[in-house]
Amino acid sequence: TRLRTVTGVQTCALPIYIKEKTLNLTISIGVAEVKLGMQDFNQLLKAVDTALYQAKWQGRNQVVIAT
């Protein structure tokens, strides 16, 4: 699976307040699309999982698309 990082993704750094405590959240996203040659759902899931872990490895607030 080839991976591509999305550039120009805007991040939102708004804190979340819960009972006088502040939560600062970040997000990593892995994206994949169903392709004709995929045998089953597990192939799609593996592509998404690989993209997600690549996004996490690259740091906070990343989106990686499996290509």
Side-chain angles (χ1 to χ4, degrees), residues 31-65:
V31 179
E33 66 178 320
V34 176
K35 297 192 177 183
L36 285 174
M38 289 185 171
Q39 300 295 319
D40 58 21
F41 179 74
N42 288 329
Q43 283 187 308
L44 175 62
L45 191 58
K46 183 177 178 180
V48 170
D49 193 52
T50 301
L52 172 61
Y53 280 96
Q54 180 69 30
K56 287 182 176 188
W57 181 82
Q58 290 178 5
R60 295 182 173 120
N61 297 318
Q62 299 290 316
V63 177
V64 173
I65 299 173

